[in-house]
Amino acid sequence: MVKCKPKDGDELRPRLVKCPPASYYQKLKSQTENARAGPIPIPPAEKRSAQQVINGLKMLSRGWDSAVESSISVPPELFFFEGVASRFYSTGENPDLSSLVRGLGVGKVFLPNTDYGIVLYETSSTVYFVLFDASRRIAVREPLFCHRNAPPECDWSKIRRSIDSAVASAATEEAAKKGLYAVYDGTLKMVAPEGLETTSSKPPESAA
């Protein structure tokens, strides 16, 4: 899990979530392999302003700037849900963002009941960031923190490039006409909603 690190004197960077039990990972593996499984139970929602969400995101990794903020494009207000080793932000009060995340694992897009959502979740070694934006027809998943990397913190600029690449691809005339979503999850793919069709793919852009 993400450990606290000194930041600006005595201030500590908080943990993303509490450390889940070992049994959680077996359950998560089973859910990932079954993209059509029922949604992960989520507690009642709380409201968060855009600034509250941004403040929480920027301290999770390095390289946050105005370009990153513009690419993520957080709406004025979001509902906040917290699950086991996961956090959800959504414009809808009853989204199914867990199905979206499981679908990405098998190259499919299961549309959640929301127009915009952010998911932060942990595996045994990595914290992932997932962005869904129906208005731009994009779904992006990128690691934020990985214990196997040096340094372990990933750079927000890499996530920004992935988002911008997805937005540009989804905005093409062909993609708009067919209603395809641009999914960036290691590679960029154009996918029909509900995982019905994958029409093209290309390798990820190299880091600047």
Side-chain angles (χ1 to χ4, degrees), residues 29 31 42 44 59 64 78 95 99 107 109 116 120 132-133 141 185:
K29 181 179 179 181
Q31 290 170 336
I42 299 175
M59 66 191 305
W64 184 279
L78 292 173
S99 289
V109 175
Y116 181 99
L120 300 168
F132 172 80
D133 190 338
R141 174 164 58 183
D185 189 19

Side-chain angles (χ1 to χ4, degrees), residues 10 24 43 74 90 133 144 150 159 191 206:
D10 295 329
Y24 166 76
V74 179
S90 170
D133 190 338
L144 265 178
I159 297 174
V191 182
S206 58

Side-chain angles (χ1 to χ4, degrees), residues 44-193:
E46 302 174 12
K47 289 187 177 180
R48 294 285 189 273
S49 69
Q51 194 58 54
Q52 286 176 305
V53 176
I54 289 168
N55 289 343
L57 292 175
K58 65 172 39 174
M59 66 191 305
L60 292 175
S61 196
R62 54 193 169 89
W64 184 279
D65 58 20
S66 59
V68 172
E69 188 169 320
S70 177
S71 290
I72 295 177
S73 190
V74 179
E77 187 175 74
L78 292 173
F79 290 100
F80 167 72
F81 316 78
E82 188 166 18
V84 178
S86 56
R87 290 183 180 180
F88 304 82
Y89 299 90
S90 170
T91 52
E93 192 170 359
N94 298 295
D96 185 12
L97 290 165
S98 57
S99 289
L100 170 74
V101 173
R102 289 195 296 271
L104 292 178
V106 292
K108 298 181 179 181
V109 175
F110 295 101
L111 296 179
N113 187 28
T114 186
D115 293 329
Y116 181 99
I118 291 173
V119 183
L120 300 168
Y121 74 95
E122 295 187 44
T123 64
S124 57
S125 63
T126 306
V127 175
Y128 285 96
F129 168 86
V130 179
L131 172 67
F132 172 80
D133 190 338
S135 67
R136 295 185 287 178
R137 300 195 326 281
I138 62 169
V140 176
R141 174 164 58 183
E142 284 280 6
L144 265 178
F145 187 103
C146 181
H147 288 291
R148 296 188 297 268
N149 295 343
E153 295 94 343
C154 302
D155 199 297
W156 278 109
S157 63
K158 170 63 171 64
I159 297 174
R160 189 254 310 159
R161 288 194 295 272
S162 298
I163 295 171
D164 291 349
S165 180
V167 170
S169 295
T172 63
E173 183 177 350
E174 180 182 4
K177 182 178 179 180
K178 295 181 178 180
L180 300 177
Y181 275 66
V183 177
Y184 205 113
D185 189 19
T187 59
L188 179 62
K189 306 176 199 176
M190 302 307 297
V191 182

